[in-house]
Amino acid sequence: MVALMKKGEHTMTVERLSSIEEVDLQDLCTATEDAIRDGNGFGWLEPPRRSVLEAYWKGVILMPERELFVAWLDGRIVGSVQLLRPSRHNQAQAHIARLTTFFIAPHARGLGLAREILRLAEEVAGEAGFQQLELDVRETQMAAIQLYERAGFIRWGERQAYAIVDGKPVRGYFYSKVIDRRKTKKTTK
């Protein structure tokens, strides 16, 4: 499942990734490091050793309850989001999927990739039968917050000390969205 876009001289795609080649793994790690340095590190404040990042992303590919979606800019991976399915024994919340590790590298922002990768993850979630998506975000990630709210996510809560950055507490916001199954279209594989 691939969405192809053109903007100026750039070729952009978003897709679900079920395996990863070494060169693409290195691009994903580089994009992750750039995002972490920019303050969008899905928990990391400083980039870990490259071997830790490589192991992390290889593990994501292997985990059946995670689906990895990536954004490509001119043939290189520049961002990701994961669709996290609830554990199989959680029948009461089997209708809810989570979005996590959502980022676009700083040099690739402003081109619409974040909007498209979010749309694709939501579409896949709807096709898989999920009725709701949830996510959380630091209050300092204003562009991400605007993206989520424009996409129809509703803030339902906040935590005062969601994260500690530079020794100071940072508030976090929690969002959810009911998936409108009428709007999720069937994709071809």
Side-chain angles (χ1 to χ4, degrees):
M1 153 178 341
V2 176
L4 177 65
M5 303 158 283
K6 290 286 268 182
K7 189 164 190 173
E9 297 180 19
H10 295 292
T11 301
M12 302 176 293
T13 56
V14 294
E15 71 174 321
R16 181 172 24 190
L17 205 63
S18 58
S19 65
I20 192 163
E21 301 294 326
E22 184 62 28
V23 66
D24 299 329
L25 175 63
Q26 296 309 313
D27 286 346
L28 183 54
C29 289
T30 298
T32 303
E33 292 164 342
D34 291 346
I36 292 168
R37 285 187 196 97
D38 193 54
N40 185 7
F42 47 87
W44 276 306
L45 299 174
E46 297 291 328
R49 290 185 325 275
R50 181 56 74 104
S51 61
V52 171
L53 280 179
E54 290 172 0
Y56 174 79
W57 289 116
K58 287 177 183 177
V60 166
I61 294 288
L62 295 174
M63 297 176 77
E65 69 275 2
R66 291 180 183 258
E67 289 189 65
L68 178 62
F69 299 86
V70 295
W72 301 79
L73 176 63
D74 299 327
R76 301 190 77 153
I77 295 176
V78 295
S80 82
V81 67
Q82 290 178 53
L83 179 67
L84 180 57
R85 299 168 182 272
S87 64
R88 293 180 191 155
H89 72 273
N90 190 349
Q91 294 174 321
Q93 294 179 331
H95 65 291
I96 302 171
R98 289 192 50 75
L99 296 178
T100 185
T101 64
F102 187 18
F103 75 92
I104 300 293
H107 72 276
R109 294 181 188 153
L111 299 171
L113 284 166
R115 184 178 56 250
E116 285 303 310
I117 199 171
L118 181 62
R119 181 201 57 74
L120 180 59
E122 181 179 341
E123 180 180 308
V124 169
E127 289 173 0
F130 290 106
Q131 299 169 17
Q132 186 173 321
L133 285 173
E134 292 185 345
L135 57 87
D136 52 83
V137 63
R138 287 184 219 157
E139 71 176 335
T140 55
Q141 297 172 328
M142 296 305 299
I145 290 167
Q146 289 175 349
L147 173 71
Y148 300 144
E149 291 178 354
R150 284 186 193 135
F153 283 82
I154 305 298
R155 184 186 310 173
W156 60 266
E158 65 181 59
R159 183 182 305 148
Q160 294 300 314
Y162 170 84
I164 304 294
V165 179
D166 296 327
K168 297 177 185 157
V170 175
R171 185 180 347 214
Y173 300 137
F174 296 82
Y175 285 87
S176 66
K177 179 178 182 177
V178 173
I179 298 173
D180 185 349
R181 302 269 321 270
R182 295 171 296 182
K183 290 184 178 181
T184 58
K185 61 180 182 178
K186 279 290 192 193
T187 58
T188 57
K189 296 184 179 184

